[in-house]
Amino acid sequence: MSPIYYNMKPTLSLMIIPDTLAHVDGHPIVTRTYSIFRDTETGNPLLARSKESSLHLEVIKDPNYFGYITFELPDRLFSYTPNEKNQLSGDEVEQVIEFLSHLRENPTLWTVS
């Protein structure tokens, strides 16, 4: 699935990679787990593709990796698993959850390739 780019603030742009994609009757279903990286080359598809195969079972050594967010129960229960070295603040995690929730609730905003 394509990465989602989010400019959180002037000094922090994120590349959020949905970890899975399912299709039901030809319609995309947004995943519930999202890996979060600092976007150092805004919109570079090669950079995004190199990060898509990251597994949460492995230690990710990418210096731009912030961890991942899991939507346990959409709109009610979320979890953030931070990277050991780079972490988002509580306010930043909340902003990312609000941004992703807005996308999840509005399928017209999804870009399907």
Side-chain angles (χ1 to χ4, degrees):
M1 186 168 199
S2 299
I4 300 164
Y5 296 96
Y6 177 49
N7 292 319
M8 180 173 290
K9 51 189 172 184
T11 57
L12 183 58
S13 294
L14 300 177
M15 177 174 50
I16 303 168
I17 300 179
D19 292 323
T20 59
L21 173 66
H23 288 274
V24 177
D25 297 327
H27 300 285
I29 304 299
V30 177
T31 185
R32 61 184 202 124
T33 305
Y34 300 84
S35 294
I36 303 167
F37 295 86
R38 179 181 308 275
D39 183 22
T40 56
E41 296 183 37
T42 304
N44 183 340
L46 295 176
L47 181 64
R49 253 179 275 163
S50 71
K51 298 176 185 306
E52 285 178 0
S53 62
S54 301
L55 295 175
H56 300 311
L57 301 176
E58 302 170 6
V59 174
I60 298 173
K61 297 182 193 243
D62 186 317
N64 294 309
Y65 179 62
F66 284 104
Y68 63 95
I69 292 176
T70 304
F71 282 67
E72 303 290 345
L73 293 171
D75 301 325
R76 294 199 326 226
L77 181 62
F78 313 94
S79 63
Y80 171 58
T81 305
N83 182 17
E84 292 177 7
K85 296 182 180 177
N86 290 333
Q87 300 180 11
L88 297 173
S89 71
D91 288 340
E92 291 169 337
V93 171
E94 188 174 318
Q95 286 180 43
V96 172
I97 288 171
E98 288 175 7
F99 172 73
L100 291 173
S101 292
H102 177 71
L103 288 179
R104 290 168 60 94
E105 293 165 2
N106 295 284
T108 57
L109 298 174
W110 304 351
T111 53
V112 180
S113 53

